[in-house]
Amino acid sequence: MKSASSLLIWSAAALGILVLPWHMQQDGLTLTGLVGVGQEDAEAASALWQAVAHRRFWFWPVIAALAVALPGALPSGNARARSAFLVWGGLLGLAAIVAQGLAIGVQGWSYPWLTEMFGELDDRQFGMGLGGTVAFFAFVLLLTDGLALRGYFRGDRFVSGAVGVLVASILLFTAWPVLTVLSQMFTPRGDLGVAAAFADRLVDRKIWGLACVTGNVNCGVFWNTLLLATSTATAATMLGLCFALIVTRTGFPMRRGLRLLTVLPIITPPFVIGLGLILIFGRSGVVNQIAEAVFGLQLGRWIYGFAGVFLAQVFSFTPTAFLVLIGVVEGISPTMEEASQTLRASRMRTFSAVTLPLMLPGLANAWLVVFVESLADFGNPIVLGGSFGVLSTEIFFAVVGAQQDFGRAAVLAAVMLVVALVAFIIQRAVVGTRSYVSLTGKGDVGLPTPLPRRIRILAFSIAIPWAVLTIVVYAMAMAGAFVRVWGRDWTPTLSHFQRAFALEWGPTGGLIFSGGAWHSLFTTIQLAAIAAPVTAGIGLLAAWVLTRQRFAGRTALEFALMLTFAVPGTVIGVAYILTFNIPPLEITGTAMILVICFVFRNLPVGVRSGVAAMSQLDKSLDEAAVTLRASTFRAIRTVVLPLLKPAIVTALVYSFVRAMTTVSAVIFLVSAQYEMATVFIINRVINGDYGLAIAYCAVLIVLMMSVIGLINLLVGSRRLGRRQAAPPALPAGGRA
Amino acid sequence: MTRKTGAEVRLEGIGKRYGQVQAVKPLDLVIEGGTLVTLLGPSGCGKTTLLRMIAGLEQATDGRLFIGGRDVTLLPAGERNVSMVFQSYALFPHMSVLDNVAYGLVSSGMRKRDAHAKAEAALETVGLKGFGTRLPSEMSGGQQQRVAVARALVLEPEVLLFDEPLSNLDARLRRSMREEIRALQQRLGLTVVYVTHDQSEALAVSDRIVVMRNAEIAQAGTPEELYTRPSSVFVATFMGEANRVPGTIESVTGGTAQVAIGGMRVGLPDRGLQPGPADVVIRPEAIRIMPADAPDTLPATVSRATYMGSHTEYLFATEVGELFAVGPQRLSRHREGEQVRLGLDLEGVVLVAP
């Protein structure tokens, strides 16, 4: 039997405090730089060496915490006493690290009251580095080990550690940044005090103004956003329902083709639709040109503004609503409809009195999903918005524009956050009541009732033209990559691709990636490839903890996790630059901040696919492993993971693909060194260089389609190979 | 499998709360080493929770738990010397039978070759020699059950736990498997805690039975004690068919109570009860049809007689209510509506507090 000792973790903490350089190294870490003892330069030294040789007294509490935890980490002794040492050591260590990090910044004391208390400090410190990070997480694990030893989490160190790391990451990378943003609202401005500045920012006609009701002026961005999100959600839900009904309730021969539509939003960079619409309805778009040539009409630039953004969002999000509603329509038990028909109801009455009411909560859910997507959307409004501002674009311009007004960005972000959270809470309530949409899992016998004639005609007449239009928009968008100047010079050309992806043979014979897009493409792929396994790993771990473990605060953890997913990307982007631009975590401009952003933005994908797969897996399988002396980690590695392979692959693929197409948060975080593909494209769009932007989008789409196709092929063949072994995956209650 | 006797399990005030819900009220229980003890009760009575607390899959919120004298209250499942056979067997579908059985040994750090050798031996113990290379899905339900038992046995646990192990088998297989489990337990001297809701299964395999109801122990004892001397109507009816009729204790002398059941008077062990009203529990097989002139009988009308092949089931209407009785086949000549007189075989009659 293994001894449950925390010595290994304690050693990690000791390594982080005594040996590794505490702070971030400007020029990167070298192998010799790893030893922070005896360093001349205080910044390159370990915490211990800084305290001893450089008189940085604020590291003594951290070192003291390490000493406190030691008796608890030794393998012998009374469990209660050991757990007390671990818990107190861990808590003290975390508190000491956080306190010293927040108290002392680049200009000495971070807060005036500290200066008053301790006098001027003629020292300063930069962002935390390897040593600090290792020490921080080691203290978290010492704390959770102590709690497990005390009997929390059923005494399971792995579970308590996993929960501890999850909680710490949520606090660090969501709660802290969001709170920082919110606190920015209260910074004084000019000669205004805290309250006055806050009031001035909040009561802003640019946010809340209603002038558009009476005059020909723009309303406040809040109303713009609300109007846009409401109309988009309504339209996309109606369209999505039409598609869902056609796919599940009619014999339409191209059903499979329609289902492919659901893949589109995943692989489409967020502004492809916008570009396609510009190429059709823009000033030099196809429709405008024809109208002018044939009828002599000047259609003008109506596409830039509400109409354009609305159209683009409906195109973009209808597939999302479709995807949600397929599940809803398929979830309605056919027996209900058959019962209704045997009770002498007509098809129409069955549809209106049984089918539709059963779908209502699902429809509400789809509506809210689209509402939130529209709210958080950045790509479409930035391309097509013109003077029609919404919250996400206003935040962007408040930060990057000439004004550089972080206070204003914070207020806008807070408004957006509140709207998103309200939608999220309503959605939870709605989905909670959905349980009566039969999810029994028992094979419901019976055939779904065919749609009433009138409904069928309606669905087809709405959905089919829209599907055709979607294809046209995509086709136009793609075609734009192959003509010289859309609308003026229709000469077919590959020059856009050449500018972006030119390859040359260097004089020495090596290949030179001389195209302008290579750099951002490689960076994107590289960072997405780093983020994907991390996302999948944390996501599955969270899913496992949430579905398989019962502990105090589980619901709270689940809620916190879901809540972080509801924070719009733009808010996260602003929050990250505000929070991580200064010590103690100074990671703006690094690749790390981008990876962290990807991970926490895409975590829901990992969690959701993990939860779905985990609920298919008999819980007693992992319990059996644990009673068979397997450590929890071994149980996961040898039993849960092998049975979850398809879910892992899904999580990997989707987090990779989404990392490549995301724009809202990363646009704030890119730097010259780490430029992302989407940001590169959007800058080309803003400069009017549509050809190159579209060419790049085309390459991205093809790249991602091939990744998804390849993975689907692999997963598909795997499932075939496992067929013989598959049935016992659900032995519960089954008689083999 | 060298150990002669399994370890004692001692529960001191063990209880489990989920928020406001009391899944198991704090209770004391000692399970002697080398015995098979059944936790029996209707669904939701807390028996499975109790078993999972012994396994370490649930953490007790009250009390302390000792296995073999060692306090394991706070130990996780893997560090207690117990194994469990799950209701669904929980065989790992992606591993061969041999890998399944060897899993626990490899987990505890044994070399894979040794583990496989030991697993082979365990498979032989349960009569599955040579099935090691198969996947669990390629075996029948009964065979899967044996693999699950072998997988738990091979670790030579101090305590072996069974969570309704036979509920997925058909009736005939269930009968033979329970005999196998009992034989194995006695041969190896194992301590076994066995959860079931089937009283005949409990009667067949147990040294002791713990009947649970509403998150607490209703009665614990040997199968015979529980059947012949139930402490409450609940235990009596749960341990088999029983009639409950109102009676009156008229006097108590020297441990014997004179009880009036309608117009009939019988002498029964008093079980500490005082004169006054009491419940009388009568097993169906204790009811006899008596000759018309016999003393101390109860007049009754046959309201239903059902021929069941091996025996006949009667429903009698009497002055103390309906009585359900089982009679040997030859009694089937009594017709519905016939007037009879009933007597009691006192072996199957017991007094319980009202």
Side-chain angles (χ1 to χ4, degrees):
Chain A
M1 211 164 289
K2 61 201 178 305
S3 74
S5 149
S6 314
L7 205 56
L8 199 68
I9 296 167
W10 188 88
S11 314
L15 185 74
I17 292 170
L18 309 179
V19 181
L20 296 175
W22 184 264
H23 291 115
M24 195 131 169
Q25 303 302 301
Q26 290 301 327
D27 314 318
L29 267 177
T30 54
L31 207 57
T32 50
L34 276 178
V35 180
V37 183
Q39 291 281 355
E40 291 281 315
D41 179 11
E43 296 312 323
S46 71
L48 177 74
W49 191 250
Q50 290 190 39
V52 172
H54 299 278
R55 305 222 173 153
R56 292 189 159 172
F57 56 87
W58 54 87
F59 282 113
W60 285 119
V62 181
I63 297 161
L66 186 67
V68 170
L70 179 59
L74 295 175
S76 61
N78 172 312
R80 277 206 95 69
R82 275 170 57 206
S83 95
F85 281 119
L86 286 176
V87 169
W88 286 111
L91 279 177
L92 182 65
L94 291 177
I97 291 180
V98 170
Q100 66 87 16
L102 289 180
I104 300 160
V106 203
Q107 291 153 344
W109 294 113
S110 302
Y111 302 97
W113 58 270
L114 281 168
T115 321
E116 274 173 36
M117 251 169 81
F118 298 103
E120 276 303 327
L121 183 78
D122 36 320
D123 202 348
R124 53 192 196 153
Q125 65 173 351
F126 296 105
M128 217 169 273
L130 188 61
T133 314
V134 169
F136 181 84
F137 280 101
F139 275 128
V140 169
L141 292 178
L142 285 176
L143 171 63
T144 58
D145 264 12
L147 290 176
L149 209 56
R150 193 163 278 207
Y152 290 88
F153 304 100
R154 285 194 346 236
D156 193 321
R157 295 169 64 208
F158 182 82
V159 176
S160 72
V163 171
V165 169
L166 281 175
V167 169
S169 330
I170 291 175
L171 288 179
L172 263 183
F173 296 116
T174 311
W176 182 30
V178 168
L179 289 178
T180 310
V181 167
L182 296 183
S183 73
Q184 280 285 320
M185 294 193 296
F186 302 100
T187 48
R189 181 173 64 186
D191 49 352
L192 293 172
V194 171
F198 169 65
D200 185 55
R201 284 191 192 110
L202 192 61
V203 190
D204 186 344
R205 232 161 25 88
K206 281 190 189 152
I207 303 179
W208 308 102
L210 276 169
C212 59
V213 182
T214 49
N216 194 16
V217 209
N218 267 325
C219 267
V221 284
F222 172 77
W223 299 112
N224 284 350
T225 312
L226 207 61
L227 177 69
L228 177 67
T230 313
S231 355
T232 303
T234 310
T237 308
M238 300 313 287
L239 281 164
L241 180 61
C242 290
F243 280 112
L245 287 175
I246 290 175
V247 166
T248 55
R249 293 297 172 96
T250 67
F252 185 56
M254 283 163 68
R255 291 193 308 259
R256 286 181 63 87
L258 282 183
R259 270 189 194 250
L260 278 182
L261 267 183
T262 57
V263 188
L264 283 179
I266 300 160
I267 58 164
T268 310
F271 23 72
V272 168
I273 303 268
L275 289 173
L277 287 178
I278 289 177
L279 298 186
I280 300 173
F281 299 113
R283 268 175 302 173
S284 47
V286 182
V287 170
N288 283 34
Q289 299 244 328
I290 294 175
E292 198 179 345
V294 180
F295 307 106
L297 280 174
Q298 288 285 349
L299 292 179
R301 35 179 300 134
W302 65 272
I303 194 79
Y304 297 97
F306 173 81
V309 182
F310 169 72
L311 212 53
Q313 287 197 340
V314 175
F315 274 115
S316 307
F317 303 139
T318 295
T320 311
F322 178 27
L323 189 64
V324 174
L325 288 170
I326 286 181
V328 172
V329 178
E330 280 178 344
I332 292 172
S333 156
T335 45
M336 307 255 189
E337 290 169 323
E338 288 181 341
S340 164
Q341 285 188 316
T342 59
L343 296 169
R344 300 188 192 156
S346 67
R347 275 188 186 178
M348 192 63 202
R349 185 167 151 67
T350 300
F351 184 79
S352 62
V354 176
T355 318
L356 206 55
L358 283 173
M359 285 192 299
L360 266 187
L363 284 170
N365 183 31
W367 193 91
L368 285 162
V369 167
V370 177
F371 181 89
V372 170
E373 292 236 15
S374 160
L375 180 73
D377 184 24
F378 178 81
N380 289 315
I382 194 106
V383 172
L384 286 169
S387 62
F388 176 81
V390 293
L391 284 168
S392 58
T393 51
E394 287 301 301
I395 293 174
F396 177 67
F397 290 127
V399 172
V400 302
Q403 10 175 357
Q404 272 275 356
D405 186 349
F406 279 105
R408 181 173 152 74
V411 168
L412 290 167
V415 172
M416 193 167 175
L417 190 61
V418 169
V419 178
L421 293 188
V422 168
F424 165 73
I425 288 165
I426 296 176
Q427 191 187 359
R428 291 269 291 193
V430 166
V431 175
T433 62
R434 210 179 60 155
S435 50
Y436 63 85
V437 179
S438 49
L439 288 167
T440 52
K442 297 259 155 69
D444 263 308
V445 282
L447 294 170
T449 318
L451 284 179
R453 199 178 143 72
R454 264 179 291 165
I455 302 284
R456 200 173 66 221
I457 291 172
L458 188 70
F460 272 112
S461 60
I462 294 175
I464 299 305
W466 190 260
V468 171
L469 213 54
T470 307
I471 294 167
V472 169
V473 170
Y474 270 90
M476 286 292 174
M478 292 303 113
F482 297 95
V483 297
R484 191 154 287 159
V485 183
W486 191 269
R488 267 175 237 131
D489 182 354
W490 298 96
T491 325
T493 176
L494 286 174
S495 68
H496 302 307
F497 287 96
Q498 203 175 4
R499 274 192 295 145
F501 298 106
L503 284 174
E504 281 171 25
W505 288 107
T508 53
L511 202 58
I512 298 177
F513 296 93
S514 57
W518 283 120
H519 173 64
S520 60
L521 183 66
F522 286 145
T523 313
T524 308
I525 292 177
Q526 192 186 351
L527 295 187
I530 295 173
V534 181
T535 313
I538 299 182
L540 290 173
L541 186 68
W544 181 79
V545 164
L546 290 179
T547 52
R548 291 302 162 92
Q549 301 297 323
R550 223 166 19 198
F551 50 89
R554 191 191 69 94
T555 350
L557 176 67
E558 187 181 8
F559 189 73
L561 208 57
M562 293 300 148
L563 207 61
T564 66
F565 304 156
V567 182
T570 325
V571 177
I572 284 288
V574 176
Y576 273 28
I577 41 171
L578 283 177
T579 313
F580 300 125
N581 219 0
I582 44 169
L585 262 187
E586 199 182 344
I587 50 176
T588 311
T590 62
M592 196 189 298
I593 198 169
L594 286 166
V595 170
I596 290 173
C597 178
F598 288 156
V599 169
F600 283 85
R601 297 297 303 148
N602 296 329
L603 211 49
V605 184
V607 175
R608 251 181 253 139
S609 63
V611 166
M614 221 81 86
S615 50
Q616 306 250 315
L617 211 61
D618 185 1
K619 190 179 171 185
S620 49
L621 284 175
D622 23 331
E623 286 180 352
V626 167
T627 57
L628 291 170
R629 317 277 187 275
S631 66
T632 310
F633 179 69
R634 184 172 140 81
I636 291 183
R637 188 172 58 80
T638 56
V639 177
V640 179
L641 284 188
L643 295 173
L644 277 189
K645 255 180 206 159
I648 297 169
V649 173
T650 314
L652 275 177
V653 173
Y654 283 84
S655 51
F656 178 79
V657 167
R658 283 178 53 119
M660 292 194 62
T661 56
T662 184
V663 67
S664 57
V666 294
I667 196 162
F668 296 94
L669 305 175
V670 291
S671 51
Q673 194 183 352
Y674 298 105
E675 187 169 35
M676 305 300 299
T678 46
V679 179
F680 181 89
I681 295 173
I682 226 158
N683 285 331
R684 293 296 157 282
V685 174
I686 290 172
N687 292 339
D689 188 357
Y690 295 151
L692 198 150
I694 291 171
Y696 203 159
C697 284
V699 169
L700 280 185
I701 290 181
V702 169
L703 189 73
M704 287 180 291
M705 284 213 302
S706 44
V707 168
I708 290 184
L710 193 73
I711 299 288
N712 268 342
L713 215 64
L714 291 179
V715 177
S717 66
R718 234 194 72 77
R719 199 167 287 155
L720 279 180
R722 234 187 62 174
R723 183 149 291 163
Q724 286 124 327
L730 298 164
R735 230 176 263 169
Chain B
M1 268 147 265
T2 47
R3 190 182 292 101
K4 280 271 100 48
T5 313
E8 176 196 76
V9 180
R10 181 184 292 273
L11 286 66
E12 291 181 0
I14 282 288
K16 176 77 182 174
R17 257 173 298 123
Y18 297 116
Q20 292 300 309
V21 185
Q22 190 86 47
V24 175
K25 291 181 189 158
L27 54 84
D28 297 317
L29 181 66
V30 177
I31 294 160
E32 282 173 35
T35 61
L36 193 157
V37 172
T38 313
L39 303 179
L40 176 69
S43 53
C45 71
K47 56 187 192 296
T48 296
T49 308
L50 192 59
L51 187 81
R52 290 168 59 86
M53 283 195 284
I54 298 173
L57 294 172
E58 304 268 357
Q59 190 86 58
T61 45
D62 294 292
R64 311 192 72 70
L65 174 67
F66 298 86
I67 294 177
R70 193 166 65 116
D71 185 348
V72 298
T73 319
L74 294 180
L75 284 186
E79 290 172 34
R80 303 179 178 193
N81 199 358
V82 298
S83 306
M84 179 151 163
V85 176
F86 288 80
Q87 181 172 12
S88 60
Y89 315 146
L91 299 179
F92 307 131
H94 58 302
M95 296 181 195
S96 72
V97 164
L98 197 64
D99 280 334
N100 261 290
V101 178
Y103 186 87
L105 297 170
V106 177
S107 292
S108 357
M110 189 181 278
R111 283 224 318 268
K112 201 157 187 171
R113 195 145 35 97
D114 303 341
H116 276 174
K118 247 187 129 176
E120 290 277 12
L123 280 175
E124 201 175 338
T125 317
V126 297
L128 285 178
K129 193 171 185 224
F131 283 77
T133 54
R134 294 208 191 175
L135 285 175
S137 55
E138 296 164 337
M139 308 188 84
S140 72
Q143 287 171 327
Q144 290 185 22
Q145 167 74 67
R146 283 171 222 231
V147 175
V149 172
R151 188 174 71 172
L153 267 183
V154 75
L155 291 170
E156 301 176 14
E158 289 180 304
V159 182
L160 191 56
L161 308 172
F162 286 89
D163 183 12
E164 309 214 11
L166 306 181
S167 60
N168 287 332
L169 301 179
D170 64 49
R172 235 189 23 211
L173 202 52
R174 211 177 306 174
R175 192 179 283 264
S176 70
M177 275 311 293
R178 78 186 185 202
E179 274 154 22
E180 268 182 54
I181 289 174
R182 177 62 165 166
L184 201 66
Q185 180 263 334
Q186 297 201 315
R187 192 166 82 235
L188 303 176
L190 298 165
T191 306
V192 171
V193 186
Y194 189 109
V195 162
T196 179
H197 59 261
D198 179 344
Q199 50 90 18
S200 63
E201 199 173 303
L203 288 172
V205 298
S206 313
D207 289 307
R208 281 170 70 80
I209 298 176
V210 177
V211 180
M212 294 188 65
R213 182 198 193 191
N214 293 341
E216 56 192 346
I217 295 178
Q219 190 179 359
T222 63
E224 196 198 344
E225 267 168 15
L226 289 182
Y227 191 80
T228 57
R229 295 190 294 284
S231 65
S232 64
V233 175
F234 170 77
V235 175
T237 50
F238 201 81
M239 294 308 298
E241 295 279 359
N243 297 286
R244 166 207 198 173
V245 297
T248 309
I249 304 179
E250 293 177 329
S251 63
V252 179
T253 41
T256 304
Q258 282 300 318
V259 186
I261 305 167
M264 177 168 62
R265 270 177 186 63
V266 290
L268 293 170
D270 70 341
R271 306 193 75 202
L273 294 173
Q274 297 302 313
D279 275 332
V280 184
V281 170
I282 305 169
R283 294 288 175 200
E285 64 274 16
I287 296 174
R288 302 267 184 274
I289 293 174
M290 307 296 278
D293 54 351
D296 269 333
T297 55
L298 200 61
T301 312
V302 180
S303 52
R304 205 174 65 222
T306 314
Y307 177 68
M308 300 294 287
S310 65
H311 61 276
T312 305
E313 291 180 2
Y314 290 101
L315 203 59
F316 297 111
T318 72
E319 56 183 309
V320 292
E322 290 200 317
L323 288 181
F324 173 72
V326 177
Q329 197 177 349
R330 60 186 164 80
L331 288 184
S332 70
R333 55 180 76 108
H334 296 281
R335 305 266 165 226
E336 289 177 10
E338 195 177 323
Q339 302 284 330
V340 293
R341 299 196 74 83
L342 301 179
L344 295 178
D345 174 0
L346 294 186
E347 283 281 284
V349 183
V350 66
L351 272 177
V352 295

